[in-house]
């Protein structure tokens, strides 16, 4: 296993640091029946089943070199956020957990994570990944993967990538298919999939501070660009190109059946498209409003408990093992998500599908981690659905949504 040597401590130093820890407040190792007594000479890591095999090898290599045992506990990924927040304050949570970057605001506000020290290795990662793992100017995780949507194109129906939505629509009409393009909407719309079009009008949800972090006091969604997006959304609905009846399942099945040259989606739908015999290309998302169409990017990584007494060993394990090219490549092999480490991503980009999604992700924007984002979702999708369904003046509906979000945040 290739290991990073940036700041790797000597085995004796890590063991000494661990032995000085206060056993009574160490993170504990969880068994199938709950938590066991704390063990300050080991690291306990929560990991989901898909990534457990890869971490088993990394853990063995770390233990061999450092003398610090790494105990892996498999968890249901969907339950980790809630359980981590509940257990860390008791001292019985893990030292390290796998996590999605958009949990970070919740973790920080609950005081359950601590910053990691990437040091010079920060430059080894794709910038969007480090940005996503940062909160209020501090980096809280070592990223391992990046995930985002892009435009999936059936090359037999459309020979080239469209630059604008008008180009995409024209190509779809020329192909003579049932739908010029497909994007999942559903009864409560889908702000995640529609967001690239929204950003192309210059209407992000929040503005950003000087350090690039989201500013919850700068609710930019209701600006003139937002109004223009709402107007465009209403026009797409009136023209029948968008419909609340077009759910995610229907959209992908229509694409597999050749009912459209284009589907706005993520890498999770590529295998089934290829199994349906479609020669697919992954292209940038076309602009609707004249500016770049930037989707949300989701980053996964590993974070360190605020209650660990093995912070030095935890940081070294993450930076020098999880952050190694071998491990990041192995995690890509089992998960299919483009690696966050640039060297591993460059190697994985020999696959044109990975390269296509990665290129879009490199210029995407992280899903906001600030707690205020939770107040946005409850109004955002239902408003978009109402606009698409022509249930009122689009600008008035959009401004009411903005006011409701602002009131909820206050």
């Amino acid at each position: 296993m290739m290991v990073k040597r940036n700041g790797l401590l000597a085995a004796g130093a890590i063991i000494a640091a661990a032995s000085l820890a206060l056993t009574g407040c160490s993170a504990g190792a969880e068994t199938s029946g709950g938590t066991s007594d704390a063990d300050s000479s080991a690291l306990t890591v929560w990991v989901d089943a898909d990534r457990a095999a890869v971490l088993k090898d990394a853990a063995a290599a770390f233990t061999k070199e450092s003398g610090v045992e790494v105990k892996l506990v498999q968890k249901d990924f969907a339950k980790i956020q809630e359980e981590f927040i509940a257990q860390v304050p008791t001292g019985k949570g893990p030292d390290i957990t796998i996590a999605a970057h958009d949990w970070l605001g919740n973790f920080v506000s609950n005081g359950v994570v601590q910053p990691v020290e990437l040091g010079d290795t920060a430059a080894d990662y794709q910038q969007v990944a480090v940005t996503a793992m940062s909160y209020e100017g501090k980096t809280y995780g070592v990223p391992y993967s990046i995930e985002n949507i892009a435009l999936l194109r059936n090359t037999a129906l459309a020979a080239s990538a469209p630059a604008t939505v008008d180009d995409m629509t024209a190509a779809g009409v020329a192909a003579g298919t049932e739908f010029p393009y497909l994007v999942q909407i559903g009864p409560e719309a889908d702000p995640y999939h529609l967001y690239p079009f929204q950003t192309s009008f210059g209407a992000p949800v929040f503005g950003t501070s000087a350090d690039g972090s989201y500013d919850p006091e700068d609710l930019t969604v209701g600006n003139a660009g937002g109004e223009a997006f709402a107007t465009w959304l209403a026009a797409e609905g009136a023209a029948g190109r968008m419909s609340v009846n077009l759910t995610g399942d229907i959209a992908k099945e229509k694409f597999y059946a050749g009912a459209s040259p284009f589907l706005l989606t993520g890498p999770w739908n590529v295998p089934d498209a290829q199994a349906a015999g479609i020669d697919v290309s992954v292209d940038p998302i076309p602009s609707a409003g004249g500016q770049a169409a930037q989707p949300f990017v989701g980053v996964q990584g590993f974070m360190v408990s605020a209650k660990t007494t093995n912070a030095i060993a935890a940081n070294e394990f993450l930076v020098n093992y999880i952050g190694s090219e071998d491990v990041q490549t192995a995690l890509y092999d089992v998960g299919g998500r483009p690696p966050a480490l640039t060297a591993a991503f460059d190697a994985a980009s020999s696959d044109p599908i990975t390269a296509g999604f990665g290129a879009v992700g490199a210029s995407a924007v992280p899903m906001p981690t600030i707690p205020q984002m939770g107040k946005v979702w409850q109004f955002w999708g239902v408003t978009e659905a109402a606009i698409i369904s022509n249930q009122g003046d689009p600008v008035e509906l959009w401004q009411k949504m903005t006011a409701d979000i602002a009131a909820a945040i206050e």
Side-chain angles (χ1 to χ4, degrees):
M1 175 174 291
M2 182 180 67
V3 178
K4 289 184 178 180
R5 295 296 174 181
N6 304 69
L8 181 62
L9 295 181
I14 294 180
I15 294 172
S19 66
L20 290 173
L22 296 177
T23 302
C25 57
S26 164
E30 181 174 316
T31 66
S32 59
T35 55
S36 67
D37 290 339
D39 181 0
S40 63
S41 65
L43 292 174
T44 299
V45 181
W46 282 3
V47 62
D48 63 327
D50 291 340
R51 268 130 301 261
V54 174
L55 260 66
K56 183 178 180 180
D57 293 338
F62 180 73
T63 298
K64 181 179 180 180
E65 182 157 345
S66 70
V68 177
E69 182 184 1
V70 178
K71 302 177 180 180
L72 301 179
V73 178
Q74 287 191 30
K75 305 289 287 187
D76 180 346
F77 190 86
K79 297 179 180 178
I80 287 177
Q81 181 178 191
E82 181 180 354
E83 293 184 10
F84 189 74
I85 291 173
Q87 291 195 29
V88 166
T90 71
K92 293 185 178 181
D95 298 277
I96 296 170
T97 185
I98 193 170
H101 89 272
D102 54 314
W103 302 353
L104 186 52
N106 201 14
F107 280 177
V108 173
S109 64
N110 280 280
V112 295
V113 288
Q114 62 178 283
V116 298
E117 297 295 335
L118 290 177
D120 293 341
T121 69
D124 296 340
Y125 296 89
Q126 297 190 65
Q127 182 59 51
V128 69
V130 177
T131 299
M133 283 289 176
S134 300
Y135 189 81
E136 295 181 342
K138 297 178 181 179
T139 302
Y140 283 88
V142 171
Y144 76 84
S145 73
I146 296 173
E147 186 173 73
N148 54 270
I149 60 174
L151 186 68
L152 206 63
R153 172 168 55 91
N154 183 332
T155 61
L157 297 176
S160 59
T164 67
V165 170
D166 287 345
D167 293 339
M168 180 170 66
T169 301
V173 171
T177 53
E178 181 180 358
F179 300 93
Y181 67 87
L182 290 163
V183 56
Q184 68 182 62
I185 305 295
E188 295 186 357
D190 193 316
Y192 175 82
H193 281 81
L194 292 173
Y195 195 61
F197 299 133
Q198 181 177 321
T199 57
S200 76
F201 284 91
V205 176
F206 295 105
T208 54
S209 303
D211 63 0
S213 60
Y214 287 105
D215 181 357
E217 296 184 0
D218 186 13
L219 189 63
T220 54
V221 68
N223 65 14
E227 294 182 351
F229 168 67
T231 301
W232 173 81
L233 206 59
E236 294 299 285
R241 291 186 286 270
M242 289 187 181
S243 169
V244 295
N245 295 319
L246 200 62
T247 64
D249 286 342
I250 293 174
K252 67 183 183 182
E253 292 301 329
K254 289 288 186 180
F255 182 75
Y256 301 158
S260 177
F262 307 103
L263 172 65
L264 198 68
T265 190
W268 48 86
N269 283 329
V270 172
D272 285 344
Q274 293 173 326
I278 298 175
D279 180 24
V280 296
S281 175
V282 179
D283 302 324
I285 299 170
S287 172
Q291 300 183 36
Q294 295 179 293
F296 281 133
V297 65
V299 176
Q300 289 195 5
F302 292 84
M303 300 178 189
V304 178
S305 166
K307 290 290 187 178
T308 181
T309 57
N310 286 342
I312 295 175
N315 200 86
E316 292 295 335
F317 177 62
L318 292 189
V319 172
N320 292 293
Y321 286 79
I322 301 301
S324 71
E325 185 175 348
D326 283 357
V327 172
Q328 296 250 331
T329 298
L331 289 168
Y332 161 71
D333 289 340
V334 299
R337 297 181 178 93
L341 190 73
T342 302
F345 171 73
D346 289 344
S349 292
S350 59
D351 176 1
I353 300 299
T354 299
F357 279 107
V360 174
S363 59
V365 292
M367 181 87 73
T369 59
I370 53 178
Q372 290 83 356
M373 187 64 190
K375 304 297 184 181
V376 176
W377 297 107
Q378 60 183 308
F379 302 106
W380 199 6
V382 293
T383 299
E384 290 180 340
I387 291 171
I388 292 169
S389 301
N390 192 28
Q391 294 180 12
D393 179 82
V395 172
E396 291 180 1
L397 289 170
W398 196 256
Q399 288 301 345
K400 182 181 185 304
M401 174 200 74
T402 303
D404 287 341
I405 293 171
I409 289 175
E410 291 178 0

